[in-house]
Amino acid sequence: MSKKASAILFDLESQERGGSPSFISQTLSKDPQPTSDGDGGRIPLEEWLPITESRKGNVYTATFHLFCSGLGLQVLLLPAALASLGWVWGVIILTVGFAWKLYTVWLLVHLHEAVHGIRFSRYLRLAIASFGVKLGKLLGIFPVMYLSGGACSILVITGGKTIKQLLHIIYEDDEVPLTTLQCFVIFSCLAVVMCQFPNLNSLFGISLIGGVMAIAYSTAIWSLPLASISQRDQNNVSYATKDTSFDTIFNAIGLIAISFRGNNLILEIQGTLPSDSKNPSRKTMWKAVVISHVFIAVCMFLVAIVVYWAYGDKIPATGGPIGNYLELYEQDYSKRAACFIHITFIINCLCSYPINLMPACDNAEMMYTTKRHKPCSIFVRMMFRVFLCLVCFFVAVGFTFLPYLAVLIGAIGLLVTFTYPCFMWISIKQLQRESLMWWFNVSVGSIGASFSVLFVFASALHLADKGLHANFFNP
């Protein structure tokens, strides 16, 4: 699609004439009244929706958002992946995956304003501009919404179960005062309150707290084994890989792949930054990307390498709830240390919830605004967010086994990180066919799509071999 065609696509009048609400005019007038005869009138959607309502962000707020959304709970699964892959291949795949992810982030940052006068502040809008309306929606809607609502449901499951595990540590017996369902309710209620910030930029304080908590529990997780080397010698650690079957190896690679998250929020975070011809937002955004990913890399590599070094084959099998890995610290270290890790982990999950839910909130408000031609009131916005949180809670309660399907379902979301940006670059930039950059992006994107298919197949085989206890509505 040419740049001119992209600009026309994003200036459609269909939204004001009762057409599809999936388009947002980037050159909208602040006056919602008709601007010309027969013109249905243009409404300032960008100024009314939570992602782009405030463009007063800076390199610090963007860094906080990127770090909080980029370093998630999946980092605790990395040692298990290394346990299946071994030292050499585990570290190589982790390094290649991180470089790959950083490259696609660079593509997205520079695609944000690739068309003159247009800011692609939502991943789905860029997908539609790149692939066309039908194909863009087909390829983009499910992965983007899964990475938003699905991530929040998994946060409810993981956060709720971690609360119960924390109570188990405190009470030192199996009879804790709260059931798992009650822990889910507590987590969801706190998440609802934290989701009431008006827009994405206003969440920077929450993202800062979430980032600090991520650093705190990551540091505790890798530093505790280093501080007790003598105890490690007593564990008789082995680094031999016991299962080298196809499904185990690719399931482990899939665990590494899904730990690289946050690409679905890159454009949205960049949309909170001011931009002009002298200081385009990509400069500020790339500085934030570099700073945040330095911290992300340090946390990821230290957790993966040190925990595997300390526990080796004693690490629980790949997949499953995060609590399996935190139990290692409950057994081997003091009660105070275990409580610290669990509390900081829970706070990080709570702080990650609002920023992950924001694309779904923005989409819901967009549909309301395009139909009513007015911004959401405080009450309507609050009701939307309460409703979306209830949906995530309902999914978490009904499908508490979702963490076991992380690779199976997450493989579809991996297209957002490793595949789509490459083909978006080719489409928007109109690269000369068979040029070096064209071949490179086609190759990288195709490899990413192939791995996504392999991860789905391997995860299905792994589940068929190990089994799945699907406890519907029984947390």
Side-chain angles (χ1 to χ4, degrees):
M1 179 179 293
S2 66
K3 294 182 179 181
K4 182 178 179 181
S6 298
I8 292 173
L9 172 63
F10 277 81
D11 199 30
L12 291 177
E13 300 296 334
S14 61
Q15 61 177 6
E16 291 83 25
R17 295 177 181 172
S20 170
S22 298
F23 301 96
I24 296 178
S25 174
Q26 307 289 331
T27 57
L28 297 170
S29 168
K30 292 185 178 180
D31 183 5
Q33 301 301 319
T35 56
S36 63
D37 292 339
D39 187 355
R42 293 179 176 181
I43 54 177
L45 282 176
E46 292 287 272
E47 300 173 16
W48 290 351
L49 297 179
I51 286 178
T52 50
E53 185 179 62
S54 171
R55 294 192 187 271
K56 298 178 180 180
N58 53 51
V59 66
Y60 302 108
T61 60
T63 300
F64 301 154
H65 290 318
L66 288 166
F67 186 72
C68 186
S69 62
L71 185 67
L73 52 88
Q74 290 86 353
V75 71
L76 299 186
L77 299 177
L78 292 176
L82 261 65
S84 297
L85 297 171
W87 277 114
V88 177
W89 283 110
V91 174
I92 289 175
I93 292 172
L94 184 59
T95 304
V96 172
F98 185 83
W100 191 345
K101 194 250 186 183
L102 200 58
Y103 171 68
T104 56
V105 170
W106 182 87
L107 294 179
L108 290 173
V109 168
H110 286 78
L111 284 173
H112 181 78
E113 295 174 295
V115 179
H116 180 69
I118 303 292
R119 293 189 68 176
F120 297 107
S121 298
R122 293 159 184 84
Y123 197 100
L124 186 57
R125 303 287 86 71
L126 181 59
I128 292 172
S130 302
F131 307 132
V133 178
K134 293 183 179 179
L135 186 59
K137 289 182 178 180
L138 179 65
L139 296 176
I141 286 179
F142 177 76
V144 171
M145 288 301 105
Y146 166 74
L147 290 172
S148 179
C152 291
S153 296
I154 291 178
L155 284 170
V156 172
I157 297 170
T158 306
K161 289 189 173 182
T162 307
I163 291 174
K164 185 171 183 179
Q165 197 167 321
L166 174 64
L167 293 174
H168 174 73
I169 296 172
I170 294 173
Y171 284 88
E172 297 182 343
D173 56 37
D174 295 328
E175 296 182 5
V176 297
L178 298 176
T179 64
T180 304
L181 179 59
Q182 289 170 332
C183 292
F184 281 18
V185 171
I186 292 172
F187 184 93
S188 297
C189 289
L190 292 173
V192 167
V193 174
M194 298 179 73
C195 286
Q196 299 308 317
F197 284 79
N199 53 63
L200 181 57
N201 189 51
S202 64
L203 285 172
F204 74 90
I206 297 295
S207 295
L208 172 60
I209 296 172
V212 171
M213 294 298 104
I215 292 175
Y217 75 72
S218 298
T219 302
I221 284 172
W222 65 258
S223 62
L224 284 173
L226 288 179
S228 54
I229 296 178
S230 59
Q231 184 176 346
R232 170 189 173 275
D233 295 335
Q234 299 172 1
N235 288 336
N236 297 319
V237 175
S238 172
Y239 302 111
T241 53
K242 298 179 180 179
D243 189 353
T244 58
S245 60
F246 167 84
D247 59 300
T248 300
I249 295 300
F250 272 88
N251 196 64
I253 298 174
L255 288 176
I256 293 177
I258 64 174
S259 67
F260 300 116
R261 52 199 299 274
N263 274 33
N264 61 307
L265 294 169
I266 294 295
L267 296 172
E268 286 78 354
I269 294 170
Q270 193 169 350
T272 65
L273 301 175
S275 184
D276 54 49
S277 58
K278 294 183 179 179
N279 296 294
S281 62
R282 66 175 179 272
K283 294 183 179 180
T284 304
M285 186 64 177
W286 186 245
K287 290 179 183 177
V289 167
V290 172
I291 296 170
S292 61
H293 280 69
V294 167
F295 286 99
I296 291 172
V298 170
C299 292
M300 291 182 68
F301 280 85
L302 285 176
V303 168
I305 292 172
V306 175
V307 175
Y308 179 50
W309 166 79
Y311 290 100
D313 59 349
K314 298 186 185 306
I315 297 173
T318 56
I322 301 294
N324 288 350
Y325 305 92
L326 296 182
E327 283 179 358
L328 293 171
Y329 290 81
E330 178 184 347
Q331 298 166 2
D332 292 348
Y333 302 102
S334 68
K335 178 178 177 180
R336 183 176 299 177
C339 286
F340 175 80
I341 293 174
H342 283 70
I343 291 172
T344 52
F345 181 75
I346 292 167
I347 296 174
N348 173 255
C349 289
L350 281 170
C351 293
S352 299
Y353 191 101
I355 191 171
N356 279 287
L357 191 67
M358 189 57 72
C361 297
D362 185 87
N363 195 53
E365 291 191 29
M366 180 184 64
M367 290 189 288
Y368 173 90
T369 301
T370 52
K371 291 183 181 296
R372 296 298 185 93
H373 285 216
K374 63 179 182 179
C376 291
S377 64
I378 295 176
F379 177 76
V380 171
R381 174 171 282 180
M382 180 179 69
M383 288 298 101
F384 271 135
R385 298 184 184 189
V386 170
F387 172 75
L388 291 170
C389 290
L390 285 174
V391 171
C392 294
F393 171 76
F394 178 80
V395 172
V397 172
F399 306 92
T400 52
F401 53 88
L402 275 179
Y404 291 97
L405 305 177
V407 176
L408 181 65
I409 303 177
I412 301 174
L414 290 178
L415 295 170
V416 171
T417 300
F418 296 110
T419 302
Y420 292 166
C422 299
F423 294 112
M424 289 172 174
W425 185 265
I426 294 173
S427 176
I428 296 295
K429 290 293 186 178
Q430 291 291 289
L431 297 181
Q432 183 180 356
R433 193 175 183 84
E434 297 187 2
S435 64
L436 180 61
M437 195 65 175
W438 185 90
W439 275 115
F440 180 76
N441 281 285
V442 167
S443 301
V444 172
S446 299
I447 293 172
S450 301
F451 270 118
S452 183
V453 174
L454 287 173
F455 292 154
V456 172
F457 183 64
S459 181
L461 287 177
H462 189 74
L463 290 172
D465 181 39
K466 304 298 181 182
L468 174 66
H469 181 56
N471 49 335
F472 294 96
F473 295 96
N474 185 24

